[in-house]
Every structure is written in C-alpha cells, then in structure tokens.
C-alpha cells in the first residue's frame, strides 16, 4: 500500500468515523437530486458559543430537518442544548433537554436524530451502573419514552426506519478498577415509544475464548477481565437495510459485527496495525525537538484503535470508514495508592515503594523509561505501573531489530534519546518476546540467555506498539482493509499548502501537531497520537461520497472524496481556530475560534434552511458549535 501527498493538488492515492453524531447510516444524508460537483470546499459561516472552556460543553451535534433544530450534547450541564438553525448565520439556543428526571446525576453522552425523533444516550452515576436511552419529539421536546440499557452508553444510532435505537455500552471500569462492567450493544425497539423493548447483544459467548481472541490479534488485556468485561464498544455504524451493525471496540483494536434482528454478535475482527517501518507510514515521534521530523522506524507499529465509524454504499457494497484516533487504558493514574510512595533511601528507616496493583491499570509508558539500562525500580512511586514491575525488573530492545539506533544486547543505545524514540508513548503490555505458550521470555540484564542456575530478570521488546493510526481507514463489510491514509495527514499538516484560521492565513507548519488547549505548542502531540483523527461523518452530493474528518488535537476538518473506496482524493481542510500563539483559558475565549472537534453532522442542501449543504461541528474544548458551508466546485 502506498499513500501520496502531491503538492498544491494535495491528492491522496492508493494502489490498493466518542460518541454519536448524525443518524450514522450508510448514505444517511444524500443530495442525489443535485448536480455532482467536481470537488467541494468548506467555508466558515457561524458558531454558537457556550463560553465554557474545556468542559465538554459542545460535543456531539444532531440535526432535525423538519424543525430545523440542532441538538448538541452539553456534558458539562448534563443536558442537550437545542439550537435554532433556521438562520444558519445566526444559530440561537432556544431550549435545553435535561435528563435529571430520568437519572439523578446522569450525564448525556451522545445524541442522534431521525424521522423527527431525537435519541439520547445517558450515562448513570456512577458510570459503572446501567445507563439509559431516551427518545424525544424533536418539534416540541416531549419525552416519548426511555429504557435502561447497558453500562456507560457512549454512542447512539438509529436504524434507517427510525423504529430502533442502538447504543454502544462501553462498560469502562471504575477509576480504582474495583468494578468492571461488561461491554454490550443495546437494541431498543421504540415502535411503541411509551413501551420500549430492549434486546442486548453481549459478549458472554466469548468468555473462555480470550486466548483465541488474543491469537487473532484482538487486545484482551485488562487484569483479571473476561472477554465480556474487556471488550468495550465505542461507536456504531448501521447498514442501509437496518439488518447489520458494525461496532468499533477501540481499546481492543477490533470491530464487532452485530445481527440486529437477533441481537447477536456474529463476529469479532482484529484490525491489525500500521507498520511504521514502511515508507508512507512514518510518524513524528518526538515532542521535544520542536521540529517536524516525519520518518519511518523499524520495529515500531501503530495500533489503529479507531473511535468513529461510518458506513456508505458503492455499487451495492458497504464500506466502513474509521477515524484511527488511538486510546490507552489509564485507570488509577491519579491514585497514589496505585503508584506507591516514592522510595527514599535517606529516610530512616528507608521508605519502601509499595504500589497496589489492584487500585488501577495504566498501560502507557514512554520508550525512554521502558528500556532504561537501570531497570524499572527507579520509576517506582512515579509512573511505573505495578503490573509492569511484577512482570520483570527491566526491559531491553532486540538489537536485531533496533540496531539502527544503537541498541546492543544489554544497552538501548541512542534509541531512547528524546529525538529518536525516547519520547514516544507505547503500550508495555505487548511487543516483548514470548515462548510457545505466550509467556514472556526472560533475559539477563546484559541481554544474554540465562544459563545454569541463572534466572532471567528482563523482558526484551522486538516490537513497540504506539497508539493510533494517525490516519483514516476504509474497510469492506468483513473488516478487511481497503485503504489507509498512512502518514498523509501529518505530511499535509507539515506542508506549505496547509493553512489555519477561517481566512486560511496561518501556516500549519508553525503549529504542527499542536494541542487543542495549548498555545505556541508546535510538536506537542507528536509523542502521543499526533493530530488525532477522532470524529467523522459522510455526505453524498450527487453521485459522489465525501468524508469529513475532524482532527481532535490539531483541530479542523479534512475533506476527501471517497467515491472510490480504494483511492480517496483530498478536497479541503478548514481549521477555524483563529488564535494559535497564546494558550486559551477559561473566561478568555474571545478570538480563539473553535478548539477540539468531537462530533460532526452533514446537512444536505435539501434539508438545510438556506438551501445550501452544511457541516456542523461540535468542539468540546472551546464549547462551540461551528457551522460551515459545503460549497460545490465545478470546472465549467
């Protein structure tokens, strides 16, 4: 597979979509009656601002065409903001839907709209309890019915006929890891809204098959967790005929296929990884050098770990588009008991570092700390996961793989330097050498095999697994990869063709891989997940399908023509963040624009109030809902 970025034309070619949004069906929003454009571009129209900074006050939008209303998740308030979009240039908040009457202390996670109805996913307090889905009339906000679903419903979607609602019940563990509910997908029949009927597609049939799933590449790794507890549904796409759903299992790097009629999981597919040693799949791996340095690394792969997924149909076949954000499990990271008290040999008697592994689970670790020649103990009480400490006394890099950056048998060489791989965040839970039974092979600290009575103390990594594809992928309905954008997104952000601000007057390269809550922060996200593609939606205009892809950290929306699933073509990039050199903060958002795109919804020209196709973006950090016009471009 090869991905190209071609100068001013900016074409992606190949030889080979937290949380809800629109109705999320293949071809859910179609402008078939209009002329097919040669290309499209975005232009900024307006925004509605809550004035709340970094409080998830504008996360997920959904649109009802009949009432010309936007419904926007305001997690901070635990409610749904209702905006009048009859004048797209002046969106106005006219009401709000509170879910306090359904569940005290509840939090709104997601929203979808279809057939004049609005479905809301509601997380209970605590999040490990079963949540709810509620159905409202879009025109007058009447509550039509509600139903209990699984734990932590994180995303909601309608079937095409509007009679059933699906929720992805993520079932994350509690922060102290004392409670770990099962993940599931709820299917709620709202044919009679006052008497909804719920069916549950769960993963209990896979309990006892954990090792088989791991061998297939599915990540099952929560301490002591069964498959049903470990699998965490994130986002749902529903087929055009309403018979099948595909659900991203983000932390598991997998996709579940669901038979809706029987509420049954019919398949779990591993999504594999992206090989960072291959040209076109490179990354900028350091946040410390403050320069753009996208390159390949042998022995490094990226786990796709997708968030959003949407489907569309081409020539009768369903294709699935994923935003490969990446996500690490980090529970108990703020719990001192989990980490233990930092050792201090100067204290009499000496203070021992005694972490409590039962109080959390953190899988993320920097390469420089993982393969330090002094071993793990030096990090105890700081950032050393106790589960890693129990695994070995230290870690080595396989010199046969990492010799290119100076690794030898017992020394990581220059590989752990900040401007090489040292700053990169990876998961320590995989990538080390194992025996035929899957148990870690142990080596001596100098990298040699134990002999005689010697006992190995160190594990050896021949692969480093980083978070996220930093890309979008297109797969067929079996989950097989058709296209992946590789490093094209980072290459574009580094190019002279990329501009920031609604007037497109700021060079992207000056703020490459910045964070959404930072100022003057070039390269700050390169060690983590880069620009972090997270939210997406698909719209059809004439005979063409277009992808709108939000970059959570860098911000902005990338647009691609995906009519040919094997060869997407770049169309445009619009980033309506206006201020980049000074960090935003609460009470000082004037002039900053939009920060942290989360959910997106496409509104066809036929459904919009002004007869123009629109894109609506919920921005969780700036607490703003942005409206863009989708302009068709014709050669004649």
């Amino acid at each position: 597979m090869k991905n190209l970025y071609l100068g001013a034309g900016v074409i992606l070619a190949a030889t080979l979509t937290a949380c809800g949004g629109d109705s999320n069906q293949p071809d859910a929003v179609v402008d078939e009656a209009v002329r097919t454009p040669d290309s499209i571009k975005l232009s900024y129209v307006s925004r509605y601002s809550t004035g709340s900074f970094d409080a998830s006050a504008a996360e997920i939008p959904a649109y009802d065409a009949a009432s010309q209303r936007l419904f926007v998740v305001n997690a901070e308030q635990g409610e749904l903001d209702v905006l009048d979009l009859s004048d797209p240039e002046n969106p106005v908040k006219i009401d709000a839907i509170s879910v306090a009457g359904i569940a005290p202390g509840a939090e709104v996670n997601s929203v979808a709209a279809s057939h004049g109805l609005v479905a809301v996913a509601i997380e209970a307090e605590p999040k490990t309890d079963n949540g709810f889905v509620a159905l409202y009339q879009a025109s007058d906000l009447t509550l039509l019915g509600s139903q209990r679903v699984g734990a932590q419903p994180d995303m909601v979607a309608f079937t095409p006929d509007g009679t059933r609602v699906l929720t992805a019940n993520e079932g994350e563990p509690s922060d102290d890891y004392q409670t770990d509910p099962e993940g599931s997908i709820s299917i709620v029949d709202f044919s009679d809204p006052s008497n909804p009927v719920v069916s549950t597609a769960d993963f209990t049939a896979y309990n006892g098959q954990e090792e088989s799933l791991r061998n297939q590449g599915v990540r099952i790794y929560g301490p002591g967790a069964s498959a049903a507890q470990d699998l965490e549904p994130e986002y749902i796409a529903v087929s055009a005929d309403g018979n099948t759903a595909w659900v991203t299992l983000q932390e598991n790097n997998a996709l579940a296929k669901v038979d809706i009629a029987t509420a049954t999981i019919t398949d779990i597919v591993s999504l594999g990884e992206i090989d960072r040693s291959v040209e076109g799949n490179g990354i900028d791996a350091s946040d410390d050098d403050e320069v753009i340095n996208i390159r390949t690394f042998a022995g490094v792969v990226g786990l796709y770990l997708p968030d959003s997924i949407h489907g569309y149909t081409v020539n009768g076949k369903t294709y699935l588009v994923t935003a490969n954000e990446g996500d690490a499990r980090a529970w108990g990271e703020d719990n001192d008991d989990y980490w233990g008290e930092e050792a201090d040999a100067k204290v009499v008697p000496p203070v021992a570092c005694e972490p409590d592994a039962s109080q959390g689970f953190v899988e993320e670790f920097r390469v420089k700390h993982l393969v330090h020649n002094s071993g793990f103990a030096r990090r105890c009480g700081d950032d050393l996961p106790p589960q890693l400490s129990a695994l070995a006394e230290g870690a080595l890099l396989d010199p046969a793989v990492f010799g290119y950056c100076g690794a030898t048998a017992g020394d990581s060489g220059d590989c752990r330097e900040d401007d090489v791989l040292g700053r990169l965040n990876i998961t320590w839970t995989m990538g080390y050498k194992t025996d035929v039974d899957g148990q870690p092979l142990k080596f001596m600290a100098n990298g040699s095999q134990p002999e005689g009575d010697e006992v190995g103390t160190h594990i050896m990594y021949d692969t480093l697994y980083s978070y996220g594809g930093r890309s979008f992928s297109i797969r067929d309905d079996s989950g097989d990869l058709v296209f992946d954008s590789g490093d094209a997104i980072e290459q574009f952000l580094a190019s002279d063709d990329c501009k920031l601000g609604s007037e497109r007057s700021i060079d992207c390269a000056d703020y490459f891989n910045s964070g959404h809550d930072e100022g003057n922060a070039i390269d700050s996200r390169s060690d983590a997940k880069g620009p972090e593609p997270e939210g997406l939606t698909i719209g059809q205009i004439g005979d063409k399908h277009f992808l709108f892809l939000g970059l959570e950290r860098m911000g902005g929306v990338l647009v691609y023509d995906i009519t040919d699933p094997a060869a997407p073509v770049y169309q445009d990039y619009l980033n309506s963040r206006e201020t980049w050199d000074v960090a935003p903060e609460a009470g000082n958002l004037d002039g900053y624009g939009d920060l942290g795109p989360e959910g997106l919804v496409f509104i066809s020209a036929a459904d919009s109030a002004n007869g123009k196709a629109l894109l609506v973006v919920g921005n969780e950090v700036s607490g703003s809902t942005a409206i863009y016009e989708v302009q068709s471009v014709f050669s004649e």
Side-chain angles (χ1 to χ4, degrees):
M1 186 186 302
K2 190 175 182 181
N3 306 295
L4 303 176
Y5 165 70
L6 302 179
V10 197
I11 299 175
L12 280 176
T15 57
L16 260 169
T17 203
C19 301
D22 57 21
S23 54
N24 199 27
Q25 273 51 261
D27 309 322
V29 187
V30 184
D31 270 359
E32 292 179 332
V34 303
R35 183 181 173 192
T36 301
D38 295 305
S39 63
I40 62 172
K41 65 179 299 183
L42 299 176
S43 63
Y44 171 79
V45 176
S46 62
R47 72 172 57 89
Y48 170 77
S49 297
T50 63
S52 295
F53 172 68
D54 205 13
S56 299
E59 286 192 300
I60 311 300
Y63 178 71
D64 174 62
S67 63
Q68 296 178 350
R69 289 177 166 182
L70 273 176
F71 299 85
V72 184
V73 171
N74 187 330
E76 179 192 38
Q77 299 297 324
E79 61 185 28
L80 204 61
D81 288 344
V82 183
L83 309 184
D84 180 1
L85 202 63
S86 60
D87 179 4
E89 294 187 2
N90 296 286
V92 178
K93 181 178 177 180
I94 56 174
D95 212 330
I97 296 174
S98 172
V99 299
I102 294 175
E107 182 174 323
V108 177
N109 276 350
S110 182
V111 63
S114 178
H115 292 77
L117 303 172
V118 178
V120 182
I122 302 166
E123 181 180 305
E125 172 59 40
K127 69 175 183 178
T128 52
D129 285 355
N130 285 344
F132 301 83
V133 63
L135 192 70
Y136 296 86
Q137 190 76 41
S139 58
D140 60 11
L141 311 186
T142 299
L143 175 62
L144 301 176
S146 64
Q147 180 58 272
R148 199 121 202 182
V149 291
Q152 199 183 14
D154 197 43
M155 187 267 173
V156 63
F158 278 97
T159 54
D161 62 4
T163 62
R164 286 172 291 183
V165 172
L166 282 69
T167 62
N169 308 314
E170 189 166 9
E172 291 177 342
S174 58
D175 288 345
D176 62 4
Y177 223 100
Q178 301 304 295
T179 305
D180 188 4
E182 295 182 350
S184 63
I185 298 94
S186 294
I187 302 164
V188 185
D189 188 337
F190 276 107
S191 299
D192 178 1
S194 63
N195 187 31
V197 178
V198 63
S199 303
T200 302
D202 61 33
F203 297 95
T204 55
Y206 293 90
N207 288 344
Q209 299 183 39
E210 289 82 4
E211 195 59 36
S212 174
L213 289 169
R214 292 187 191 102
N215 291 337
Q216 296 169 41
V218 179
R219 299 190 72 207
I220 306 291
Y221 61 104
S226 66
Q229 290 174 303
D230 206 71
L231 295 167
E232 297 184 359
E234 186 79 26
Y235 208 106
I236 305 170
V238 182
S239 64
D241 60 12
N243 293 330
T244 306
W246 295 267
V247 183
T248 54
L249 308 173
Q250 185 172 23
E251 288 81 0
N252 311 103
N253 197 40
L255 189 68
K257 193 171 184 179
V258 182
D259 181 273
I260 293 176
T262 62
T264 304
I265 310 293
T266 60
D267 200 8
I268 298 177
V269 180
S270 170
L271 298 179
E273 57 264 345
I274 183 169
D275 186 347
R276 297 299 184 193
S277 71
V278 175
E279 195 65 35
N281 289 344
I283 55 171
D284 187 322
S286 176
D287 63 336
D288 195 59
D289 52 7
E290 295 188 352
V291 296
I292 301 172
N293 189 8
I294 303 168
R295 52 177 164 157
T296 58
F297 294 94
V300 179
V301 301
L303 294 165
Y304 288 109
L305 303 170
D307 190 323
S308 300
I309 181 171
H310 279 245
Y312 70 113
T313 305
V314 177
N315 297 325
K317 294 184 178 180
T318 298
Y319 293 90
L320 305 167
V321 187
T322 60
N324 302 320
E325 177 198 19
D327 200 12
R329 282 184 172 154
W331 306 113
E333 57 184 338
D334 297 323
N335 184 349
D336 291 340
D337 290 337
Y338 174 68
W339 300 110
E341 186 174 357
E342 188 169 359
D344 187 350
K346 297 178 182 179
V347 176
V348 181
V351 174
C353 177
E354 297 180 348
D356 184 352
S358 71
Q359 294 294 311
F361 178 73
V362 176
E363 64 161 318
E364 192 174 50
F365 212 47
R366 287 197 193 279
V367 171
K368 65 185 296 182
H369 301 324
L370 182 72
V371 297
H372 194 282
N373 293 343
S374 297
F376 297 150
R378 52 186 286 277
R379 307 297 301 183
C380 190
D382 185 358
D383 60 357
L384 176 67
Q387 292 90 351
L388 174 59
S389 179
L391 187 64
E393 293 180 10
L396 307 167
L397 290 177
D398 186 348
V401 178
F402 294 98
Y404 68 92
C405 53
T408 60
D411 193 318
S412 57
D414 291 336
C415 301
R416 63 176 300 275
E417 293 299 316
D418 287 351
D419 61 349
V420 186
L421 287 170
R423 298 289 297 175
L424 185 64
N425 288 311
I426 56 98
T427 176
W428 59 262
T429 64
M430 56 197 302
Y432 50 79
K433 292 175 177 286
T434 60
D435 60 23
V436 293
D437 296 321
Q439 297 302 307
L441 288 173
K442 297 291 185 69
F443 297 80
M444 305 306 292
N446 64 5
S448 65
Q449 298 272 2
E451 296 181 356
D453 294 334
E454 291 180 331
V455 177
T457 57
H458 284 51
I459 52 178
M460 182 179 289
Y461 286 82
D462 55 16
T463 307
L464 299 174
Y465 286 83
S466 61
Y467 295 100
R470 306 191 184 194
S471 64
F472 73 91
S473 298
I474 301 179
R475 297 176 181 268
D476 64 19
D477 63 359
S478 296
D480 294 327
L481 189 66
V482 174
F483 170 87
D484 185 75
S485 63
D487 64 10
I489 293 175
E490 279 191 304
Q491 295 285 5
F492 170 65
L493 295 175
S495 74
D496 293 337
D497 296 306
C498 182
K499 302 296 179 181
L500 302 169
S502 57
E503 299 299 323
R504 305 172 191 256
S505 59
I506 305 168
D507 290 337
C508 293
D510 290 342
Y511 302 98
F512 172 82
N513 276 356
S514 288
H516 49 30
D517 56 357
E518 301 172 297
N520 197 25
I522 183 174
D523 225 19
S524 68
R525 299 300 302 172
S526 292
D527 62 319
K529 295 171 278 185
E532 231 164 291
E534 179 179 18
L536 65 87
T537 192
I538 297 171
Q540 184 175 345
I541 304 176
D543 295 329
K544 290 186 175 180
H545 299 272
F546 295 97
L547 166 66
F548 303 91
L549 179 70
L551 305 181
E552 181 183 13
R553 297 289 179 165
M554 185 69 183
V557 178
L558 284 160
V559 187
Y560 300 86
D561 179 348
I562 56 171
T563 306
D564 180 353
V569 180
Y570 171 89
Q571 303 287 288
D572 197 17
Y573 174 65
L574 180 61
N575 189 324
S576 52
R577 175 177 179 174
E578 312 294 353
T579 300
W580 288 82
D581 56 343
V582 180
E585 58 186 24
N588 185 32
L589 288 175
D590 289 345
Y592 277 88
D594 303 298
L595 312 171
E598 178 84 5
L600 302 88
V601 59
F602 175 78
I603 302 173
S604 68
D607 286 340
S608 74
N610 63 2
K612 299 176 181 179
L614 303 173
L615 180 73
V616 177
V617 183
N619 298 280
E620 63 174 339
V621 174
S622 56
S624 59
T625 303
I627 293 92
Y628 305 138
E629 181 182 339
V630 181
Q631 299 175 327
S632 292
V633 179
F634 303 95
S635 58
E636 296 182 0

